[in-house]
Amino acid sequence: MTKKDRNIDQAGTQMPRGFSHKRVPVILAILLFLSLATGVFVVSEKTAQKSLMGFPNFADSSFVLTDQNGNLRSNADFFGQPIALFFGFTYCPDVCPTTLMSLANSIDALGDDSVDADRLQVIFVSVDAERDTPEQMRDYLTLFEMDVVGLTGDKQALADSRAAFGAFAKKIEGKDGYFSYDHSAAVYLYRPDGGFAGTIVFNESKEFIREKLLSLLK
């Protein structure tokens, strides 16, 4: 058999020099992966767009709660401001302090870059009607060096506020009367016009947090 013959397959079709049948599964796998990745990206983008459209304007998410100074506050008090809204409780061992500290650090970093980050209104809404009194909220929030409004109220008022924003909280009973909460861990972001601008997820990188906050402050 000549060298030329060796480059012809059994069906008589001449194959490209250096071609190997072993490469076919690899090439097909790569093409399949790229196709699936593209599909996932398209679906994710469409889902994100639908999610943004599905969230009501901040002006339509009504609530009346008590702040850490004992004053009644409603959603109307925050119209026209970029908002970072978070649901949690002062006895939270990890998610809440970590999230609030991340926001405080990001706001400081933006300020260091000459961004007027003080325009951002951080709102911390309690899910714990039993323990989070205005005084408890005030003492807790002084631990974070940023302008944050803490809101609390009775059980029904807090449940209504969560419903208005599509957040959730579930009481988890522990031993010896101790209890905790499983709750929404995302920070809800709103533009000054009240439009929903996305979320910051728990333990998101500081670079992503910075860019998301910066987009609200432009």
Side-chain angles (χ1 to χ4, degrees):
M1 181 179 291
T2 65
K3 184 175 181 180
K4 181 177 180 181
D5 292 333
R6 288 195 295 270
N7 287 327
I8 301 177
D9 67 3
Q10 293 180 351
T13 303
Q14 185 163 342
M15 307 300 290
R17 186 178 299 276
F19 181 87
S20 171
H21 287 286
K22 295 180 180 180
R23 296 182 182 178
V24 174
V26 176
I27 294 174
L28 290 176
I30 293 174
L31 292 175
L32 179 60
F33 172 78
L34 292 175
S35 177
L36 290 173
T38 301
V40 170
F41 176 78
V42 171
V43 171
S44 298
E45 283 294 298
K46 289 183 177 180
T47 300
Q49 291 175 7
K50 289 181 179 179
S51 296
L52 291 177
M53 293 173 60
F55 274 80
N57 189 284
F58 189 86
D60 298 324
S61 303
S62 61
F63 62 81
V64 177
L65 297 171
T66 304
D67 69 16
Q68 69 265 46
N69 297 314
N71 300 314
L72 286 179
R73 307 292 294 273
S74 73
N75 56 322
D77 294 329
F78 306 100
F79 290 173
Q81 303 177 63
I83 292 169
L85 174 70
F86 181 65
F87 292 85
F89 61 112
T90 64
Y91 287 81
C92 179
D94 44 31
V95 175
C96 300
T98 299
T99 299
L100 291 171
M101 187 61 70
S102 294
L103 287 173
N105 290 338
S106 296
I107 291 172
D108 284 344
L110 288 170
D112 291 340
D113 293 337
S114 300
V115 176
D116 185 13
D118 290 337
R119 293 192 298 114
L120 179 69
Q121 179 61 72
V122 179
I123 303 174
F124 178 69
V125 182
S126 175
V127 301
D128 187 350
E130 297 176 63
R131 297 176 297 190
D132 283 347
T133 63
E135 295 78 16
Q136 172 66 18
M137 295 283 280
R138 183 179 64 246
D139 293 342
Y140 178 73
L141 294 176
T142 57
L143 300 175
F144 309 96
E145 297 181 359
M146 65 175 171
D147 180 19
V148 51
V149 173
L151 298 175
T152 189
D154 62 33
K155 185 176 180 179
Q156 189 59 54
L158 294 183
D160 290 344
S161 70
R162 292 194 298 274
F165 292 95
F168 79 94
K170 180 180 179 181
K171 188 176 182 180
I172 307 298
E173 299 287 353
K175 297 181 180 180
D176 301 324
Y178 175 79
F179 60 90
S180 184
Y181 282 90
D182 182 16
H183 61 89
S184 300
V187 177
Y188 298 80
L189 303 176
Y190 290 87
R191 297 185 297 271
D193 65 1
F196 181 67
T199 61
I200 295 173
V201 300
F202 179 59
N203 270 342
E204 190 161 353
S205 71
K206 61 181 181 180
E207 291 79 13
F208 283 6
I209 294 175
R210 181 187 187 282
E211 289 306 313
K212 290 180 178 182
L213 295 183
L214 185 60
S215 69
L216 294 180
L217 298 167
K218 289 182 177 178

